[in-house]
Amino acid sequence: MIAVLLLALLAAPAAAYECQPLELREPAAAVDIRHDRGLLWRISKPGSATSYLYGTIHVSDPEITDLPEPVLAALADASHFVMEAELDGPAMLGFAQQMFYSDGRRLSEQLDDDLYTRAEDLLGRHGVPPLAAQSLKPWAAFMTLNMPPDNGLPLDLVLMEKAEQRGMSVRGLETMEEQLAVFADLDESAQLRLLVDTLCHYEDLQRDMAQMKTLYRQRDLAGLFRYHNKYNLQDRAVYKQLMQRLLWDRNRVMAQRIAAIIAEDDAFVAIGAMHLPGAEGVLTLLENAGFKVQMVY
């Protein structure tokens, strides 16, 4: 689920990439969010086999990766496993290679000394050694620092591993190149702005991730949906651009590809939970395509 990486990341754009304070939004009136609760959904349509759609969060906490019985039962009931992008060896190697400059540029040259020292220190907590940090592209440093600093197997890979153990076919809704392009195609100045805001507010982001995990365990999709709007970012062009690329554009593509897959055969589909709810969420888009969606868990 790439959308969770955007929680509170964009403070006011800063000249020379200086730290800026985060601004909390004024409490808004409650907004009705379609499909506001539930992580596991049954997807059906006359003439098609029943499939399942499961919302994930990209962390490795045991209380999250220890799958509940309804999820295990749905996985056992499916013939095929579908995830955001198939994380096979060649794809992951190619993705990793794209994270680093290959033209001699250095991240240390694009940040002032204090910010780069902080970047190197924080990246070290995430397993990135100083030598590698020097060549990391801004978007890759940004993504790395917006994940919890743990080394366990994330939920998506736990599901994939269980599917493979059952002999299920595994495929991705997106290619790694498509996922890479969401950030890599941003102007580098925008990448640096994102990274600097992350460096300046790293502790806030980690606390926000902890709260996101709590909302996830409560299966509170509406809470997750609202939580990423806790800061006053809605009028910032870079935020709008990223949300469009990360959620709304990808939701449409995912829904179209899910519909095509499950029209042919049954599947257990696992995508980031933030893609599920709302009027432009994947569940609503599948309903608009004629599918019936029912919350299971």
Side-chain angles (χ1 to χ4, degrees), residues 218-265:
Q218 294 170 347
R219 307 194 297 281
D220 184 358
L221 293 182
L224 289 170
F225 191 86
R226 294 187 181 103
Y227 199 76
H228 81 274
N229 278 325
K230 66 180 290 189
Y231 297 106
N232 189 24
L233 309 173
Q234 68 274 19
D235 294 326
R236 308 199 189 286
V238 66
Y239 175 79
K240 288 184 176 181
Q241 180 188 17
L242 277 169
M243 289 303 295
Q244 186 69 40
R245 294 163 68 95
L246 282 170
L247 274 183
W248 318 131
D249 291 348
R250 293 176 67 227
N251 283 357
R252 286 192 291 272
V253 172
M254 285 183 181
Q256 291 169 359
R257 293 177 182 175
I258 290 170
I261 290 170
I262 64 179
E264 296 180 358
D265 206 348

Side-chain angles (χ1 to χ4, degrees), residues 103-114:
D103 57 5
R105 282 184 290 171
R106 294 288 184 268
L107 182 61
S108 56
E109 299 168 350
Q110 302 182 64
L111 300 171
D112 67 34
D113 291 344
D114 288 342

Side-chain angles (χ1 to χ4, degrees), residues 40 52 54 67-77 219 268 296-297:
L40 179 65
Y52 296 91
Y54 184 51
L67 297 169
E69 185 55 38
V71 176
L72 291 172
L75 187 64
D77 193 43
R219 307 194 297 281
F268 182 103
V296 178
Y297 171 80

